[in-house]
Amino acid sequence: MNKGRLEAFSDAVIAIIVTIMILEFKTPETPEIKALLENGPYFFAYIITYVFVGVAWYNHHYMFSLTKRVTKRIYWLNNIWLLSMSFLPVATAWTGRFINERGPEYFYYVVHLIWLLAYFFLSDALANANREVAPERYQKIKAMPIYSTITRPYFWVIQVILLVAIYFFPPIELIFVMVDCKFNPNFWTNLSA
């Protein structure tokens, strides 16, 4: 399969996701600044999700720049990853509208977790497809932080703590995503690549 076509398709889907998110931002009905501030919670959720999508796109691009082979399995795992990401506009809009409510934040959490798992399986498939044909690229993909994070027990302990924390302070999920993006070592280390 031509990896360029898959990358172009992924880029198009991600662009549509970001476009849908900004369209959810409502234009104020009055010219006062306070009317804009009424959309503050959605603006906050939008910025965090936009950065999250930007980091995800960069890491996706980085992985695909390393790969030499794209299989049917990679194609379908990439589609599952994109499907999980396509729920972000709904999760962002709902969370932004009800930022202090548990339901929307739990939904955002589930979307984020499914996205993480889909990304992990996609990364693993890309690495394994390149094991024989490009061992050095296999090692680079396997060295990505997603492996050292999801495969460690502390990741799942953090998930349980986060589930409990959302019950008491719902916006913690957005804060967690923001911190995760800020400290994503793969993005910041490979920025010059």
Side-chain angles (χ1 to χ4, degrees):
M1 173 173 281
N2 183 317
K3 82 173 182 171
R5 302 249 324 157
L6 186 58
E7 286 177 295
F9 175 73
S10 300
D11 288 350
V13 171
I14 292 169
I16 291 167
I17 289 167
V18 171
T19 302
I20 291 170
M21 285 186 343
I22 195 60
L23 291 175
E24 285 293 323
F25 192 74
K26 303 301 178 211
T27 305
E29 298 293 325
T30 63
E32 291 88 26
I33 291 293
K34 71 176 184 172
L36 187 61
L37 296 177
E38 290 172 1
N39 285 325
Y42 179 76
F43 192 59
F44 176 68
Y46 170 77
I47 288 172
I48 289 171
T49 305
Y50 184 90
V51 170
F52 166 58
V53 170
V55 170
W57 176 86
Y58 180 87
N59 289 329
H60 183 268
H61 174 71
Y62 176 74
M63 271 192 317
F64 273 84
S65 72
L66 291 174
T67 193
K68 289 213 179 254
R69 284 187 72 218
V70 174
T71 63
K72 282 184 184 177
R73 183 169 192 265
I74 290 169
Y75 169 77
W76 285 109
L77 286 170
N78 191 72
N79 278 338
I80 292 168
W81 176 73
L82 289 170
L83 175 66
S84 69
M85 189 180 277
S86 72
F87 284 96
L88 283 174
V90 175
T92 303
W94 198 24
T95 299
R97 187 163 182 206
F98 302 103
I99 200 158
N100 291 314
E101 299 296 327
R102 293 181 193 121
E105 294 290 343
Y106 278 124
F107 180 67
Y108 196 104
Y109 168 84
V110 168
V111 169
H112 184 233
L113 182 63
I114 291 170
W115 178 89
L116 278 169
L117 294 172
Y119 188 78
F120 172 77
F121 289 118
L122 174 61
S123 304
D124 190 53
L126 281 164
N128 289 329
N130 289 281
R131 182 184 304 198
E132 302 297 323
V133 293
E136 72 288 346
R137 292 171 185 239
Y138 163 81
Q139 288 299 330
K140 282 185 177 182
I141 294 171
K142 280 289 192 181
M144 292 178 69
I146 192 81
Y147 290 100
S148 62
T149 303
I150 285 189
T151 57
R152 302 258 166 94
Y154 75 83
F155 172 80
W156 298 103
V157 170
I158 290 171
Q159 297 308 307
V160 171
I161 291 169
L162 190 55
L163 281 169
V164 172
I166 291 170
Y167 183 83
F168 294 102
F169 182 64
I172 194 75
E173 170 59 19
L174 287 174
I175 294 166
F176 179 79
V177 170
M178 179 176 59
V179 169
D180 187 39
C181 287
K182 183 177 181 189
F183 294 108
N184 184 310
N186 194 55
F187 176 73
W188 302 108
T189 334
N190 296 315
L191 203 53
S192 60

